[in-house]
Amino acid sequence: MDFGFSEEQELLRGEARKLLDEACPLSELNALRETPEGHSPEVWKQLGELGWLGLIVPEAYGGAGLGWLDLIVLLEETGRSLFPGPLVSNSLAAATLADAGDDAQQRRWLPALADGSRIGSVALLDEREAFWPDAIGLRGQRDGDGWRLSGEKRFVTDPTAADLFVVAFRTGDAPEALSLGVVEAGAPGVSAKHFPTLDQTRRLGNLELLDVRVAADAVLGAPGEAWPAIERLLDRGATAVAAEMLGSAQAALDLTVQYAKDRVQFGSPIGRFQGVKHPLAEMHVQLESARSLVYYAGWALDESPNDVARAASRAKALMTEASSRIGTEAIQLHGTIAYTEEYPAQLYYKRSKFTRPLFGDADHHYDRLLRLRGL
Amino acid sequence: MDFNLTPEEEAFRREVRDFLAAELPPPKQRDAAFMPEWWKKIRAKRWIGFSWPEEVGGGGGTLMQQFILKDELARARAPLLGSDYTGLHWVGPAIIQFGTPAQKARYIPEILDGQSIWCTGYSEPDVGSDLAALQCRAVREGDSYLVNGQKIWTSLAHFAKSIFLMVRTDADAPKHDGISCLLVPMDTPGIEVQRVHNMGAGGYGDMLNQVFFNDVRVPAELRLGAEGQGWEIICSALQSERSGITEVNRHETSLEDLLDLAARSERNGRPALEDASVRRKLGSFETRIEAMRLNGMRALTRQLRGDLHPSEASINKLHNCDLLVEMSELALELQGSAASYYGSGEAVLDKGRWQLAALSWPATVIGGGTPNVQKNIIAERMLGLPKD
């Protein structure tokens, strides 16, 4: 029994924190959001050189061959620094390729995603925002041994930064008759756009597909049988987002605790008053508990596949509640300073809003936990 | 990170499981004759006082073995390990840590053998959360102390044989430094016990009392530790496994039963399990119970690495309180007006267990420090916020 990280993992955490503090301080975020990429390509290149973009990519395909738990360490740190780069999108695209792709497909796409020369994202949702098989509506039309796609994928993360997309589409009438294919950003009929976001450190938008051909060798796994892989992708997505949330919620809580120690009113640090102290204690309790669930979900992704669905749902659910509460209370406990543009509390608050719906909010996952019990 | 057990730990789990399969009948078949027999058997296995050192007669179980034993016992819905809960959980550990050889020889075997019944003299009418302000006075006169004062909310005092009594021996010292601990037989002249019935109206858990001390003479040899060491004794805890796995498994059992109740219930004329609010609450219970289990494993990992007081244990205490309150609340909500019936008659569902849960959580939630006191402790010790 050992519910702790290895020395190597602690080393990775320390290095990631140091690099992100230096290369991607909060003070840079305002400038980065105005750039075409929305993040710093130089920092992205650095992460690629360090091998951190391909942590979970098998060594045979240019990655580090490490596990989800290692990636979670990194994601916690990128969350803490509100890193605007497409690490979650890229990791999920790579993980899905490694999970569902054959040797040729992995050889074709994974090395570039691992070294940072190309960026991947995933496009799952379309008309309906739900995480059940029948919510995916985009229908593929047979075209020889491949498929043609026309339609719009919505709520795609990092749509304009990505060079390729893992796209979910329907290839039959049964709810689970789904397929996964790779669509490249430069291919004919493919266009991506992002919209202004409430959390300006994050890009979100649409992938528009106009008679786009997905050749047979770009379909991951057997056509019509992709639901299990999609469900694993959803669980990885929920876990990855929860890991980033853990880092940013901890940063918001740390900022607020420090403020409660420093800010003096009525002749005393406000952290002495129970009206301030108790909510902070409650948030700490909630966050530490979410932390346990997130770490366990990471471990389950590596070591215990049968536990993944429950572990991921529990982690994203409690993490979402903790992050929402901390985002809001960080502002209330600070006072007016918190919602000025120059103060970071508002950035954490906005991040908590952005991450809440990604891969399902707390209500979705609580409901899913009962479904997983057959209820 | 590794949640697997070593082969030796697996072997111990198997031993426990096999013993329970052979010796522990299902809850419904456990009659009055069962308990004494059961205690005799587990005493022979040294599972009573399993965390205590072998030289005092305990089991000398490692932290992992303690964890495994508690986990298996709770899964099997086994009864408590030993009859003297107070003696086994804090009086015995305190005597092992602070007692003289004579005190250990006198008290520890009887606690292990189920011959003792201890109660705890902490709270007073004017002293609750601010325990260090306690006033019950003990004045040294030659070879004994003369005790005068009052204790309240004293669980089990009406049939306890001894009281673990905190008294003020120095009225001039700072409040934490003037407290001493006395081990007092309840039949000492001058002790008077009065029942205080709780809202459960005579049901399970009705064990509160107030205890009056009028010129009670206690031999000085019954003082535990040094004069003025009482607060240290209160704050001490012998190293034992602190994952809270017993509570986690109890909550899991309750959740199973609550899901079963929900499957039989209606809300607004529709099956309760189709109600979004009910589903959200049930999913949240499952999530927090699992968080408790994992927090406990983090605490255990920290203990295995040498940290005596892992902070995750306080975190779990708050979850434990929330879950007891909220799960009993949902159980009553699901019953609608039938929740108003009480007791064991035909009108009451599930033999009234949910009503009993709704009336009995305060003993756990308030006893040992209210949630608000816990929040002060968490904020001050873990977040470093200034003390009140």
Side-chain angles (χ1 to χ4, degrees), chain B residues 140-375:
Chain B
R140 181 74 183 250
E141 290 183 356
D143 285 343
S144 61
Y145 290 95
L146 197 62
V147 179
N148 280 286
Q150 184 188 346
K151 295 287 172 181
I152 198 166
W153 320 138
T154 319
S155 291
L156 302 169
H158 56 299
F159 54 77
K161 295 179 185 168
S162 321
I163 183 166
F164 188 69
L165 182 66
M166 290 295 164
V167 291
R168 184 157 301 281
T169 43
D170 185 345
D172 300 324
K175 65 179 180 179
H176 291 90
D177 299 337
I179 301 169
S180 301
C181 178
L182 301 176
L183 309 173
V184 186
M186 285 298 283
D187 58 4
T188 311
I191 296 180
E192 186 197 338
V193 177
Q194 283 179 10
R195 301 295 312 276
V196 180
H197 293 293
N198 72 26
M199 66 175 170
Y204 170 80
D206 191 34
M207 51 176 117
L208 298 177
N209 300 278
Q210 42 187 343
V211 186
F212 299 89
F213 299 84
N214 275 314
D215 286 338
V216 175
R217 197 162 288 281
V218 181
E221 70 198 41
L222 297 185
R223 189 190 65 230
L224 182 67
E227 205 165 269
Q229 208 176 7
W231 188 253
E232 190 188 337
I233 293 172
I234 289 172
C235 297
S236 74
L238 202 66
Q239 172 77 326
S240 65
E241 187 278 326
R242 321 242 297 173
S243 68
I245 188 68
T246 304
E247 286 75 21
V248 169
N249 285 332
R250 278 197 206 132
H251 284 309
E252 265 190 3
T253 304
S254 295
L255 178 61
E256 295 291 337
D257 294 348
L258 190 53
L259 287 164
D260 176 63
L261 175 66
R264 290 179 273 134
S265 305
E266 285 196 343
R267 295 283 282 165
N268 302 314
R270 284 183 301 130
L273 281 176
E274 291 175 12
D275 182 281
S277 142
V278 169
R279 294 181 72 83
R280 187 180 308 136
K281 286 175 187 170
L282 291 167
S284 167
F285 295 152
E286 175 188 318
T287 298
R288 284 182 282 165
I289 293 167
E290 184 64 13
M292 269 185 84
R293 175 188 303 283
L294 295 170
N295 288 342
M297 290 183 176
R298 273 170 67 194
L300 181 54
T301 296
R302 297 256 297 254
Q303 284 192 292
L304 290 166
R305 293 178 179 187
D307 179 352
L308 294 185
H309 301 289
S311 52
E312 289 86 354
S314 325
I315 288 174
N316 270 357
K317 168 138 184 155
L318 280 182
H319 278 305
N320 192 42
C321 295
D322 286 346
L323 285 166
L324 284 171
V325 174
E326 292 176 39
M327 286 170 75
S328 68
E329 181 65 19
L330 179 61
L332 295 197
E333 269 180 54
L334 286 170
Q335 295 177 38
S337 292
S340 299
Y341 296 126
Y342 185 68
S344 52
E346 57 177 291
V348 70
L349 269 171
D350 298 346
K351 297 184 178 166
R353 61 164 292 191
W354 303 110
Q355 284 79 347
L356 209 54
L359 297 182
S360 61
W361 59 254
T364 306
V365 171
I366 310 292
T370 70
N372 284 333
V373 171
Q374 289 294 322
K375 286 174 199 168

Side-chain angles (χ1 to χ4, degrees), chain A residues 69 294-304 307, chain B residues 1-4:
Chain A
L69 207 50
V294 170
Y295 291 167
Y296 184 79
W299 182 82
L301 279 167
D302 292 328
E303 305 288 343
S304 186
D307 275 347
Chain B
M1 202 168 286
D2 183 5
F3 292 92
N4 299 310

Side-chain angles (χ1 to χ4, degrees), chain A residues 225-354:
Chain A
E225 293 174 18
W227 172 247
I230 293 172
E231 199 168 27
R232 288 194 291 275
L233 166 56
L234 290 169
D235 287 331
R236 292 192 188 105
T239 306
V241 171
E244 276 213 326
M245 293 166 96
L246 175 59
S248 46
Q250 184 68 62
L253 182 57
D254 290 347
L255 182 75
T256 311
V257 167
Q258 191 57 49
Y259 188 80
K261 292 176 186 173
D262 297 340
R263 172 73 170 172
V264 173
Q265 289 288 280
F266 307 103
S268 165
I270 59 171
R272 176 168 285 135
F273 304 129
Q274 293 187 341
V276 173
K277 186 180 269 185
H278 285 190
L280 287 171
E282 288 161 17
M283 288 185 275
H284 176 72
V285 166
Q286 207 174 17
L287 188 59
E288 286 309 306
S289 303
R291 178 185 305 283
S292 297
L293 292 168
V294 170
Y295 291 167
Y296 184 79
W299 182 82
L301 279 167
D302 292 328
E303 305 288 343
S304 186
N306 292 336
D307 275 347
V308 164
R310 279 160 196 269
S313 274
R314 290 162 176 158
K316 182 63 171 39
L318 195 64
M319 193 59 244
T320 300
E321 290 199 347
S323 151
S324 300
R325 167 125 199 242
I326 291 170
T328 306
E329 294 256 21
I331 289 186
Q332 293 196 30
L333 292 172
H334 274 87
T336 302
I337 183 73
Y339 63 97
T340 60
E341 188 177 31
E342 68 197 49
Y343 199 79
Q346 53 102 5
L347 296 172
Y348 299 122
Y349 173 70
K350 290 173 180 169
R351 180 58 72 86
S352 76
K353 300 293 178 223
F354 183 83

Side-chain angles (χ1 to χ4, degrees), chain A residues 8-316:
Chain A
E8 290 80 4
Q9 286 161 338
E10 293 297 352
L11 205 64
L12 171 65
R13 181 188 298 285
E15 283 177 14
R17 183 168 296 195
K18 187 158 166 283
L19 183 142
L20 291 164
D21 279 350
E22 282 168 12
C24 184
L26 293 179
S27 53
E28 297 287 308
L29 290 176
N30 277 350
L32 284 173
R33 75 191 199 204
E34 308 296 345
T35 64
E37 296 84 3
H39 69 104
S40 159
E42 291 76 39
V43 176
W44 189 253
K45 189 159 169 272
Q46 245 180 307
L47 299 187
E49 284 162 5
L50 286 162
W52 293 353
L53 301 181
L55 276 187
I56 51 162
V57 173
E59 284 177 284
Y61 304 109
L66 297 176
W68 269 85
L69 207 50
D70 305 280
L71 179 58
I72 275 174
V73 169
L74 182 60
L75 289 170
E76 209 183 322
E77 293 305 313
T78 55
R80 177 179 168 274
S81 66
L82 298 177
F83 175 65
L87 184 62
V88 170
S89 304
N90 192 64
S91 302
L92 292 176
T96 307
L97 280 162
D99 177 15
D102 60 26
D103 176 62
Q105 290 168 329
Q106 296 191 61
R107 203 187 311 271
R108 179 173 167 194
W109 285 300
L110 281 178
L113 297 187
D115 70 15
S117 55
R118 304 184 82 196
I119 292 171
S121 186
V122 295
L124 298 175
L125 301 166
D126 41 63
E127 290 102 5
R128 296 166 60 201
E129 185 173 10
F131 302 93
W132 316 118
D134 57 8
I136 295 172
L138 175 68
R139 185 172 280 272
Q141 304 295 335
R142 259 291 175 199
D143 177 28
D145 59 353
W147 303 84
R148 284 193 175 270
L149 302 179
S150 281
E152 194 172 64
K153 287 304 223 183
R154 298 196 302 157
F155 309 124
V156 178
T157 52
D158 305 299
T160 45
D163 302 294
L164 61 89
F165 301 87
V166 174
V167 179
F169 57 100
R170 176 161 296 288
T171 46
D173 293 327
E176 297 191 1
L178 299 168
S179 301
L180 283 169
V182 176
V183 167
E184 308 227 9
V190 176
S191 61
K193 61 182 176 191
H194 66 261
F195 303 106
T197 37
L198 182 145
D199 172 6
Q200 292 156 308
T201 66
R202 278 290 187 237
R203 294 268 165 99
L204 188 71
N206 289 355
L207 176 66
E208 279 162 22
L209 305 167
L210 188 64
D211 203 25
V212 172
R213 181 166 160 82
V214 181
D217 64 2
V219 174
L220 306 176
E225 293 174 18
W227 172 247
I230 293 172
E231 199 168 27
R232 288 194 291 275
L233 166 56
L234 290 169
D235 287 331
R236 292 192 188 105
T239 306
V241 171
E244 276 213 326
M245 293 166 96
L246 175 59
S248 46
Q250 184 68 62
L253 182 57
D254 290 347
L255 182 75
T256 311
V257 167
Q258 191 57 49
Y259 188 80
K261 292 176 186 173
D262 297 340
R263 172 73 170 172
V264 173
Q265 289 288 280
F266 307 103
S268 165
I270 59 171
R272 176 168 285 135
F273 304 129
Q274 293 187 341
V276 173
K277 186 180 269 185
H278 285 190
L280 287 171
E282 288 161 17
M283 288 185 275
H284 176 72
V285 166
Q286 207 174 17
L287 188 59
E288 286 309 306
S289 303
R291 178 185 305 283
S292 297
L293 292 168
V294 170
Y295 291 167
Y296 184 79
W299 182 82
L301 279 167
D302 292 328
E303 305 288 343
S304 186
N306 292 336
D307 275 347
V308 164
R310 279 160 196 269
S313 274
R314 290 162 176 158
K316 182 63 171 39

